[in-house]
Amino acid sequence: MNNSQNTINRISNFIKKELAGLYPEREIQNFIYMIFEEALGYSKVDLYANSNLEIPDEGWHKIRDITCQLKNHKPIQYIFGKTEFYNLEFTVTPDVLIPRQETEELVDWIIQETGSRLVKILDIGTGSGCIAVALNKNIFRSKVDAFDISEKIITLATENGFKHNSLVNFFVGDILNWPLQKFDNNYDIIVSNPPYVRESEKQQMRPNVLNYEPATALFVPNDNPLIFYQTITDFATKHLKNNGRIYFELNEYLYMDVKLLLLEKGFQDIELKKDLNGKYRMIRGIRQ
C-alpha cells in the first residue's frame, strides 16, 4: 500500500486479509485492536471514530512487521514481549510459557480458599513468575517462594516481581532432583503448573504454541506422563504442613490419574475443578 492508502480502515483490512484462514475471525479482530494499541496507542473507540485517518509511514511499518510475525504464527505476547495475567502486566519471552486463562482460574481458586490468612506458599516451575506474584499481591501477608530450572528464567521472573513490588523469593531449582537441594519443610500451600502435554498430543496443538513456546515446559513422555505430578506430590509429603494444600493445573485427559495419585499418597478432601470451558483443569488436595 502506498502512503495515500494508509488509513486505519485500509490497514485493518490488510491485517484481516493477511491472517485470514490462519486464525478465527474473532481472534483476528482482537489482534487488530491490540496491534493499533501497541503500535500507535489507538483505542477501539479511535479505530471506529477515525477509520479514515491516515497513519504515518513509521506506524504502518510497525503494523506490517507485527502482522508478518503473526502470519508466521509467532504468539502476539512474544511479539510485544508482555501479557496480562490477573490484572497485572508480565514480561514474557520464548523462555517461558505464556500464561493462560485456566492458570488465572487456578490462582483465583487459591486466593478464594486462602482469604487473608498468613500463609507460606511455594510455586514450583514458576516460569514468568505470574502465579507467585499474583498470589503474593492478592493474599495479604503471604510469604511466597518460587523456583524454576534455569538462571535465565529466574532472572525474568525476578524482574516481573520487582515490577509489581512483590516480595517473592525466586531461586533456581530442579524439582526432578529435589532430594539433592535444601527446601523449607513448612509450606502451607504448594502450587504448580507443571509440564503435562504428552508427546502424542503434539498433533492437536496450534503452530503458535508448538513452534514457539518452550518444549521443556510443555511436554512429557507418553510412557511417563505423570512424572512431574508424582515428583511434586512426593516432595509435598515432606514439605507441606499438616493440613497444607497442594494445587495443580491439569491435562484435561489425565485428571483422574492425578486424583488417584493424590489419594495413593495420602491426600484427602481432593477436589477437581472445571475451567470456564467445562473441562477439569485444576485439582486440590489436603495433606493429613
Side-chain angles (χ1 to χ4, degrees):
M1 293 189 300
N2 59 48
N3 188 58
S4 64
Q5 296 175 315
N6 287 350
T7 64
I8 288 175
N9 188 53
R10 294 295 293 273
I11 292 176
S12 296
N13 288 334
F14 166 81
I15 297 170
K16 290 177 183 178
K17 182 179 178 181
E18 290 294 297
L19 302 183
L22 300 176
Y23 302 92
E25 289 184 14
R26 185 173 180 179
E27 188 170 7
I28 293 173
Q29 188 59 56
N30 285 333
F31 283 156
I32 291 171
Y33 297 143
M34 295 169 71
I35 290 169
F36 275 96
E37 173 70 29
E38 179 68 17
L40 296 164
Y42 291 176
S43 68
K44 291 182 185 180
V45 174
D46 293 328
L47 300 192
Y48 288 110
N50 303 290
S51 61
N52 292 318
L53 179 69
E54 289 192 10
I55 302 304
D57 283 347
E58 182 181 357
W60 155 239
H61 293 320
K62 286 181 182 179
I63 292 172
R64 186 174 57 184
D65 178 63
I66 293 168
T67 304
C68 181
Q69 293 185 70
L70 286 171
K71 196 171 181 179
N72 289 323
H73 301 286
K74 187 172 183 177
I76 198 165
Q77 295 90 343
Y78 290 155
I79 297 172
F80 293 168
K82 62 185 179 182
T83 193
E84 186 174 292
F85 181 86
Y86 216 78
N87 297 317
L88 300 169
E89 184 180 283
F90 288 85
T91 299
V92 290
T93 70
D95 295 306
V96 299
L97 289 179
I98 297 165
R100 302 303 205 276
Q101 172 186 294
E102 51 268 25
T103 311
E104 285 189 312
E105 294 175 48
L106 176 64
V107 165
D108 192 63
W109 189 16
I110 297 171
I111 291 169
Q112 296 305 318
E113 288 203 333
T114 304
S116 58
R117 285 181 291 153
L118 176 62
V119 290
K120 189 170 184 179
I121 301 170
L122 177 66
D123 174 25
I124 297 175
T126 193
S128 65
C130 62
I131 292 176
V133 173
L135 291 175
N136 184 240
K137 296 295 289 184
N138 288 277
I139 299 177
F140 182 58
R141 297 187 303 168
S142 61
K143 181 178 180 182
V144 183
D145 292 338
F147 70 91
D148 213 311
I149 198 167
S150 80
E151 192 70 49
K152 196 171 185 180
I153 293 173
I154 290 304
T155 297
L156 176 64
T158 301
E159 290 172 356
N160 281 322
F162 284 151
K163 182 188 299 185
H164 298 295
N165 298 312
S166 78
L167 300 175
V168 178
N169 171 39
F170 290 106
F171 59 95
V172 176
D174 180 3
I175 189 60
L176 295 182
N177 291 295
W178 67 267
L180 303 177
Q181 299 167 263
K182 185 177 181 180
F183 292 93
D184 267 330
N185 59 356
N186 62 340
Y187 288 104
D188 300 282
I189 295 170
I190 290 176
V191 58
S192 184
N193 176 19
Y196 56 63
V197 181
R198 292 170 291 188
E199 291 284 341
S200 59
E201 295 174 82
K202 281 186 176 181
Q203 59 188 2
Q204 303 174 30
M205 303 183 75
R206 291 174 59 175
N208 59 321
V209 177
L210 191 59
N211 297 339
Y212 288 94
E213 297 202 52
T216 53
L218 287 169
F219 298 112
V220 287
N222 290 330
D223 59 356
N224 193 10
L226 300 186
I227 179 171
F228 285 95
Y229 294 105
Q230 290 169 334
T231 303
I232 293 169
T233 304
D234 286 338
F235 175 93
T237 61
K238 303 290 186 182
H239 295 282
L240 262 182
K241 293 179 181 178
N242 289 337
N243 296 313
R245 292 172 283 149
I246 188 169
Y247 293 86
F248 284 122
E249 187 171 315
L250 299 171
N251 182 325
E252 64 184 277
Y253 304 113
L254 298 173
Y255 66 89
M256 281 304 300
D257 301 83
V258 178
K259 181 177 181 179
L260 289 172
L261 171 66
L262 289 175
L263 286 170
E264 290 169 0
K265 298 293 184 179
F267 286 81
Q268 298 184 16
D269 296 325
I270 295 169
E271 182 178 348
L272 285 160
K273 198 173 184 67
K274 292 181 179 179
D275 64 10
L276 292 178
N277 296 313
K279 298 175 180 179
Y280 285 116
R281 296 300 310 280
M282 295 156 272
I283 194 168
R284 184 261 289 136
I286 297 177
R287 184 187 176 214
Q288 298 299 313

